[in-house]
């Protein structure tokens, strides 16, 4: 058994929040540069992609968040079952880290009561997902999730008869209906299978994978490739200005489901893919 | 790139065409979801607004807090469609320009044409770049809304695309 103090977890989450909100992931930057190269010079799409890349430089230079929507603080904690957590309650440690980081680094506080719309003023609570895994380490992933794109996400409860083509149609339809609203080129996280709730979580988890990575299952990777090709044929383009790149990637995660169902969750991420990981 | 001074002049609006890129400089108001709801609630009750909309341009944005030495934190546009149910009413009150991101409803497009106004698309996700182009910021109304409060910004060289012009030209309709 390995003892891990929550002070260490809190320090790690604080640093993940800082890094994530100030930088695009290297895989995302590479994908945006590639997209820019594919657009006609002087086109509105090229203007949008150029602005986005210049923005990433400005953010790094000025120590400013790449996007003002520093998001809902989504934290995934994979906790080795041979660890023992000491100190405060884990949820409090994560929320304390989020609260301090959002205040210290001038990140926007975007969390409010859903009915009164009164802001909690410190960006808590975080959405903390814990998972017990083998081993004696804790793996932390932080994803500041913007809501312009979150709003465009959808969940489908397909019948098994819809099959692979139904899955692909659902993914493409979600991106088509989102149009220019979620800040394309988007990154598309897809959950396939599970239950109503675990399917949505799979889609979120898919977004923590690097842009351009593929599912190790070949049949799933084939769905990713086909979705991406069909999405980029929609012609929505960067910021909805038209063009060749409507999505920089599609990531699918899969889980067994019930014999009566085929859940498909599509979680949309804007082109500002921000995600940081640490292991304790 | 064409430079457009703010507040907008009618003759400048008439010349803008969907698809062209422009640099905006001058004064704007910020306002997003909660501020729009509150403005319309005040109008419903017959109350006077704490600011005039006549000739103004509204930027759909909620900035990050300003770090020391800066007028504003990161401040890119938010999705304009969420303000669609409010926008025609504001345009009828003299609002001339809107800056945001993404397509608008048919009602908003019609109201833009009727009121000879314009909708600019800023580039979503470019918060640091736009925040840096804010040279002065002043709280105008609704401080309890925090980042959703109404601010008056002085901006310099805000890169935008004319998304919907006053003749119905629309970059999102191809």
């Amino acid at each position: 058994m390995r003892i891990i103090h929550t002070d260490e977890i809190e320090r790690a989450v604080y640093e993940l929040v800082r890094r994530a909100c100030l930088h695009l992931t290297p895989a995302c930057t590479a994908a945006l540069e590639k997209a820019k190269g594919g657009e006609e010079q002087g086109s509105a799409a090229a203007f949008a992609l150029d602005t986005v890349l210049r923005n990433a430089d400005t953010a790094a230079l000025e120590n400013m968040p790449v996007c003002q929507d520093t998001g809902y603080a989504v934290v995934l904690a994979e906790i080795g079952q041979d660890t023992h957590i000491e100190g405060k309650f884990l949820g409090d440690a994560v929320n304390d880290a989020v609260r301090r980081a959002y205040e210290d680094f001038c990140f926007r506080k975007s969390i409010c009561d859903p009915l009164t719309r009164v802001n909690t003023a410190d960006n808590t609570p975080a959405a903390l997902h814990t998972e017990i895994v083998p081993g004696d380490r804790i793996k932390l992933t932080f994803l500041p999730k913007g809501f312009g794109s979150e709003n465009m996400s959808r969940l489908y409860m397909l019948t098994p008869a819809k099959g692979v083509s139904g899955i692909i149609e659902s993914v493409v339809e979600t991106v088509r209906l989102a149009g220019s609203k979620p800040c394309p080129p988007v990154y598309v996280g897809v959950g396939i299978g599970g239950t109503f709730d675990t399917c949505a979580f799979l889609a979120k988890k898919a977004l923590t994978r690097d842009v351009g990575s593929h599912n190790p299952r070949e049949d799933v990777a084939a769905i990713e490739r086909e979705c991406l090709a069909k999405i980029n044929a929609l012609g929505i383009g960067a910021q909805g200005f038209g063009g060749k790149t409507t999505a920089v990637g599609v990531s699918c995660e899969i889980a067994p489901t019930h014999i009566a169902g085929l859940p498909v969750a599509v979680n949309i991420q804007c082109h500002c893919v921000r995600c940081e990981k640490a292991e304790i | 790139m064409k430079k457009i001074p703010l507040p907008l002049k009618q003759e400048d609006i008439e010349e803008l065409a969907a698809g062209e890129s422009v640099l905006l400089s001058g004064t704007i108001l910020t306002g997003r979801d909660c501020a729009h709801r509150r403005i319309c609630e005040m109008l419903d009750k017959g109350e006077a607004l704490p600011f005039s909309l006549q000739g103004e341009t509204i930027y759909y944005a909620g900035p990050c807090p300003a770090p020391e030495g800066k007028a504003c934190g990161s401040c890119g546009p938010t999705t304009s469609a969420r303000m669609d149910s409010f926008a025609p009413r504001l345009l009828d009150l003299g609002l001339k320009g809107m800056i945001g991101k993404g397509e608008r409803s048919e009602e908003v497009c019609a109201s833009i044409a009727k009121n000879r106004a314009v909708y600019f698309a800023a580039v979503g996700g470019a918060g640091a770049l736009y925040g840096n182009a804010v040279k002065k910021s002043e709280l105008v109304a609704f401080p309890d809304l925090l980042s959703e409060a109404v601010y008056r910004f002085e901006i310099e060289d805000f890169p935008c695309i004319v998304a919907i012009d006053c003749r119905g030209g629309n970059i999102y309709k191809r």
Side-chain angles (χ1 to χ4, degrees):
Chain A
M1 187 180 70
R2 188 162 157 254
I3 293 170
I4 297 177
H5 198 276
T6 47
D7 283 354
E8 204 176 338
I9 297 170
E10 198 173 318
R11 269 197 302 275
V13 172
Y14 180 85
E15 179 57 14
L16 290 178
V17 173
R18 186 191 71 80
R19 286 210 316 258
C21 292
L22 295 176
H23 305 103
L24 301 179
T25 63
C28 171
T29 308
L32 291 171
E33 271 164 2
K34 192 176 156 213
K36 185 187 154 195
E39 297 296 349
E40 203 180 309
Q41 259 197 333
S43 66
F47 163 84
L49 290 163
D50 181 62
T51 305
V52 159
L53 287 162
R54 281 196 297 127
N55 176 68
D57 294 339
T58 305
L61 196 71
E62 303 275 344
N63 233 11
M64 288 167 87
V66 278
C67 178
Q68 76 289 340
D69 190 352
T70 42
Y72 206 120
V74 178
V75 179
L76 276 59
E78 291 164 69
I79 302 168
Q81 69 171 359
D82 299 328
T83 56
H84 173 72
I85 297 172
E86 254 184 22
K88 47 175 111 159
F89 175 60
L90 176 65
D92 290 343
V94 168
N95 281 328
D96 287 350
V98 166
R99 183 180 294 115
R100 284 197 297 113
Y102 276 73
E103 186 57 38
D104 291 356
F105 304 118
C106 290
F107 298 160
R108 196 179 74 186
K109 290 83 178 171
S110 311
I111 307 307
C112 70
D113 182 278
L115 303 183
T116 65
R117 311 306 295 182
V118 173
N119 199 302
T120 64
D122 61 7
N123 220 56
T124 67
L128 171 63
H129 302 278
T130 55
E131 204 176 333
I132 305 298
V133 297
D136 64 355
R137 304 184 75 82
I138 295 179
K139 197 175 154 197
L140 295 164
T141 302
F142 178 70
L143 180 79
K145 189 63 181 71
F147 252 58
S149 55
E150 192 79 350
N151 279 339
M152 298 297 124
S153 306
R154 296 171 82 89
L155 178 74
Y156 296 82
M157 299 304 284
L158 301 180
T159 57
K162 295 282 182 189
V164 169
S165 64
I167 295 168
I168 293 166
E169 272 168 36
S170 304
V171 175
V172 177
E173 178 182 71
T174 300
V175 177
R176 182 175 58 74
L177 292 172
S180 59
K181 297 188 192 90
C183 270
V186 291
Y187 184 34
V188 187
V190 182
I192 304 170
T195 55
F196 181 82
D197 52 330
T198 59
C199 186
F201 179 61
L202 284 176
K204 179 71 84 240
K205 220 172 162 182
L207 291 177
T208 66
R209 274 173 41 197
D210 268 346
V211 174
S213 64
H214 295 290
N215 191 291
R217 245 179 81 166
E218 181 44 39
D219 53 349
V220 181
I223 294 174
E224 293 174 343
R225 284 193 298 270
E226 193 171 338
C227 286
L228 184 60
K230 289 203 157 126
I231 288 167
N232 283 333
L234 291 171
I236 294 167
Q239 296 292 317
F241 296 158
K244 293 182 189 126
T245 310
T246 298
V248 289
V250 177
S251 292
C252 298
E253 289 294 312
I254 192 162
T257 190
H258 189 277
I259 50 171
L262 178 53
V264 177
V266 189
N267 197 185
I268 303 288
Q269 165 69 54
C270 65
H271 62 71
C272 262
V273 182
R274 299 158 291 172
C275 183
E276 290 288 337
K277 294 169 188 180
E279 200 172 276
I280 299 173
Chain B
M1 246 189 282
K2 196 194 267 185
K3 290 192 179 236
I4 304 292
L6 301 169
L8 287 161
K9 296 192 197 83
Q10 193 60 45
E11 59 264 36
D12 285 344
I13 296 175
E14 299 290 334
E15 282 187 6
L16 294 169
E20 70 179 318
S21 44
V22 291
L23 292 170
L24 304 177
S25 297
T27 61
I28 53 174
L29 294 169
T30 66
R32 49 174 290 157
D33 307 66
C34 272
H36 276 77
R37 195 167 80 175
R38 196 167 291 179
I39 288 168
C40 288
E41 281 169 1
M42 291 179 83
L43 292 172
D44 285 344
K45 288 187 214 152
E47 293 172 16
L49 298 182
F51 48 89
S52 164
L53 291 167
Q54 192 62 45
E56 291 287 358
T57 295
I58 286 191
Y59 182 28
Y60 300 141
C64 284
E68 196 147 318
K70 284 198 179 292
C72 185
S74 283
C75 191
T78 196
T79 310
S80 307
R82 293 197 314 275
M83 269 51 78
D84 280 355
S85 57
F86 307 109
R89 197 164 181 191
L90 272 56
L91 287 161
D92 287 344
L93 286 173
L95 182 72
K96 278 292 166 186
M98 295 161 288
I99 309 170
K101 69 174 173 85
E103 61 224 53
R104 309 303 302 264
S105 68
E106 287 303 324
E107 290 75 18
V108 175
C109 295
S111 181
I112 289 170
K114 184 184 95 180
N115 290 290
R116 308 302 288 179
V118 61
Y119 168 53
F120 299 101
V123 177
L129 202 126
Y130 288 108
N132 240 4
V134 177
K135 299 303 168 190
K136 271 189 204 159
S137 165
E138 179 199 350
L139 179 69
V140 172
F142 315 145
D144 58 302
L145 299 183
L146 307 179
S147 68
E148 292 199 74
V150 173
Y151 294 89
R152 181 172 293 282
F153 280 174
E154 201 174 304
I155 58 170
E156 197 177 286
D157 289 343
F158 239 51
C160 292
I161 292 258
V162 179
I164 304 174
D165 65 36
C166 67
R167 293 171 300 280
N170 187 334
I171 195 172
Y172 303 110
K173 285 188 180 156
R174 292 176 303 272

